[in-house]
Amino acid sequence: SAKPGGAGMALTSSWLQTEVWKPFQTLTLPDGRRLDYHDMGPATGAPVLYSHMGYCMARWHEPMLKLAFQNGLRVICPIRAGYGQSENIDPKA
């Protein structure tokens, strides 16, 4: 079956809005801390680590997401410690 952004299939605005606002995911680190991240683009795309330096611009706008899908880029955006559910390292560590 065709996937959004695949050859011969146009991305719709409603699908893109859903992609923009999908929930963050959480990773539990080896020391038990949580790290939120936002995953954008095709899951099988070439991975790109994107650092936004804070909490803003973690979610890309529709035109940027459309380009990620068209170019086969999976953009992984970690949410820095102290924002969202991402936890700071213990000061005693």
Side-chain angles (χ1 to χ4, degrees), residues 74-93:
R74 178 184 178 198
V75 181
I76 304 162
C77 180
I79 306 302
R80 89 175 197 200
Y83 291 82
Q85 299 299 314
S86 293
E87 297 175 315
N88 283 314
I89 192 167
D90 187 331
K92 296 176 185 173

Side-chain angles (χ1 to χ4, degrees), residues 58-72:
R59 295 183 189 279
W60 282 9
H61 294 283
E62 291 179 14
M64 295 167 68
L65 278 174
K66 186 174 181 181
L67 285 170
F69 274 93
Q70 289 172 342
N71 290 288

Side-chain angles (χ1 to χ4, degrees), residues 28-78:
T28 302
L29 302 172
D31 65 0
R33 290 180 297 136
R34 292 182 312 235
L35 171 70
D36 274 1
Y37 66 96
H38 191 46
D39 200 355
M40 302 171 276
T44 58
V48 176
L49 186 61
Y50 168 66
S51 178
H52 56 82
M53 303 299 295
Y55 201 62
C56 58
M57 287 305 296
R59 295 183 189 279
W60 282 9
H61 294 283
E62 291 179 14
M64 295 167 68
L65 278 174
K66 186 174 181 181
L67 285 170
F69 274 93
Q70 289 172 342
N71 290 288
L73 300 175
R74 178 184 178 198
V75 181
I76 304 162
C77 180

